[in-house]
Amino acid sequence: MSSFNFREMADHVLNAFPNFCSMVIQSVVIIVIFTLLYKGCNKDGILLRHLENKSNSAAASNLCQLISKILHIVVLLVGALTLAGAWGFNLNAVLASLGICSMALALAAQDSVKNFFGAFVILLENTFKVGDKITVTGITGIVEAINFRSTIVKTENGEKIYIPNATFSGAAITNHTQK
């Protein structure tokens, strides 16, 4: 039976302490930087506010909200990976897993991805905006909302129709408001 050697344990703690302090300081710096980046990605952040002020349209406002949400996710993911790397975790397996998971997710959610990018196209091309009267695939109505997956159109008889955004990329759109 080995006896507890206090001197060896104290030497080990004292030798590891500077490295531990360095990792704590790195972690604090990483957290501060990524917190600032996260706050900068808000809709009221400098970049998105500049973009929105340049165009002053409802489409730009919707696009800024979409970009803000995407940037928040990216900043959180990159920040978490950076923090894990600072603490010595092997990120190769994590990054490989993320790559495989993203491919599987993309294949499983092709329609959702098409609709998501369809929302980008609608907002970037400014084909129509909320409040416009449009006709697409035989449906005529007023655009109530442009969401990630679909656009809500209210017909003349009061029905709300949810049209997948991917539909707009392959269909003729008549905008009765813009003449």
Side-chain angles (χ1 to χ4, degrees), residues 150-164:
S150 63
T151 296
I152 303 170
V153 175
K154 188 172 185 177
T155 64
E156 292 174 353
N157 58 356
E159 295 175 324
K160 286 186 179 182
I161 300 177
Y162 296 79
I163 303 171

Side-chain angles (χ1 to χ4, degrees), residues 81-148:
L81 290 174
T82 304
L83 194 59
W87 280 90
F89 289 97
N90 183 0
L91 298 179
N92 292 335
V94 173
L95 293 175
S97 297
L98 283 175
I100 292 170
C101 289
S102 63
M103 281 186 6
L105 182 64
L107 289 173
Q110 282 181 343
D111 288 339
S112 296
V113 172
K114 287 179 190 175
N115 290 324
F116 180 74
F117 284 110
F120 265 126
V121 171
I122 290 168
L123 295 172
L124 288 175
E125 288 186 350
N126 204 19
T127 309
F128 57 85
K129 60 186 182 298
V130 174
D132 284 357
K133 182 177 182 180
I134 64 168
T135 301
V136 62
T137 63
I139 300 167
T140 301
I142 306 293
V143 177
E144 284 200 341
I146 302 169
N147 299 319
F148 289 129

